[in-house]
Amino acid sequence: MRKWINSQSALLLAGFMTLFLSYSSPTQSEEKPPSGKREAKSNEVEAKPKGDEKDKDLHHFMIAKLKASVDILEGLTTENYPLIKDGATKLNQMSTAEKWRYSNDPIYRQFSSEFQRTTQDLKEAADEKNLDKSALKWMDVTVKCIECHRHVRAMLIVTD
């Protein structure tokens, strides 16, 4: 039974990674330019920080969030529970930092609260050395990120 669950977890994780990579890698119609940087589409916000110091700080903060996310994913694929817990702890701690508070509207605060709860759940799953639960909690964290970023982008459109 345990082998079947582990193989099911591996398949779930492999499917998630395939889906993630298929959306993140360029297609033939979206080849990377020779500089190694992908050209921004008209509806995309440029990924590099603006000249403002606050924008640069936020950019570096977002990069740190991505690095913690990579640690979690690596931990999941290698069953390295301390790495999963470390990444989840970093994300949880970052979510309480002042830089995290992009807005004070109730919806944003709700997203933030849910993110903190979910990263805490991920830490607990890693402590339990439960790969299935860890993988599902990681997917939940990822969905929370996507939903919150969508909300923030919508707020930016409204205020611009």
Side-chain angles (χ1 to χ4, degrees):
M1 180 69 168
R2 177 83 176 134
K3 275 187 174 179
W4 183 81
I5 291 174
N6 281 341
S7 64
Q8 187 180 29
S9 298
L11 285 173
L12 177 66
L13 193 54
F16 179 70
M17 286 301 300
T18 302
L19 182 63
F20 175 75
L21 291 174
S22 69
Y23 282 107
S24 64
S25 62
T27 62
Q28 288 230 304
S29 64
E30 187 186 334
E31 288 297 322
K32 291 183 178 181
S35 69
K37 294 183 179 177
R38 188 173 61 84
E39 292 176 355
K41 295 179 184 175
S42 61
N43 64 342
E44 290 181 341
V45 176
E46 196 136 343
K48 64 182 179 183
K50 311 279 188 254
D52 185 313
E53 195 63 36
K54 184 178 177 184
D55 289 336
K56 287 180 183 178
D57 284 347
L58 183 59
H59 176 76
H60 291 298
F61 189 74
M62 298 305 285
I63 295 297
K65 282 173 46 181
L66 289 172
K67 286 180 181 178
S69 298
V70 167
D71 286 348
I72 294 168
L73 188 55
E74 180 182 344
L76 287 168
T77 58
T78 60
E79 290 191 53
N80 183 335
Y81 297 103
L83 192 57
I84 296 168
K85 183 178 179 179
D86 184 52
T89 300
K90 286 177 187 172
L91 286 177
N92 190 278
Q93 289 171 344
M94 292 175 79
S95 71
T96 63
E98 187 62 36
K99 289 179 187 177
W100 182 274
R101 287 174 191 67
Y102 184 82
S103 171
N104 200 27
D105 80 281
I107 296 171
Y108 182 82
R109 286 195 318 263
Q110 179 66 32
F111 279 127
S112 233
S113 175
E114 289 175 5
F115 184 86
Q116 290 167 5
R117 180 186 45 79
T118 308
T119 54
Q120 185 62 40
D121 291 346
L122 177 56
K123 285 170 41 179
E124 292 168 9
D127 278 338
E128 296 168 9
K129 295 186 180 354
N130 185 329
L131 186 63
D132 294 327
K133 187 175 179 181
S134 296
L136 290 172
K137 291 300 175 183
W138 174 237
M139 290 181 359
D140 196 14
V141 169
T142 304
V143 168
K144 302 279 187 256
C145 288
I146 292 167
E147 290 173 345
C148 185
H149 281 253
R150 180 182 297 150
H151 173 70
V152 169
R153 283 191 305 273
M155 285 181 6
L156 288 173
I157 290 170
V158 169
T159 59
D160 282 348

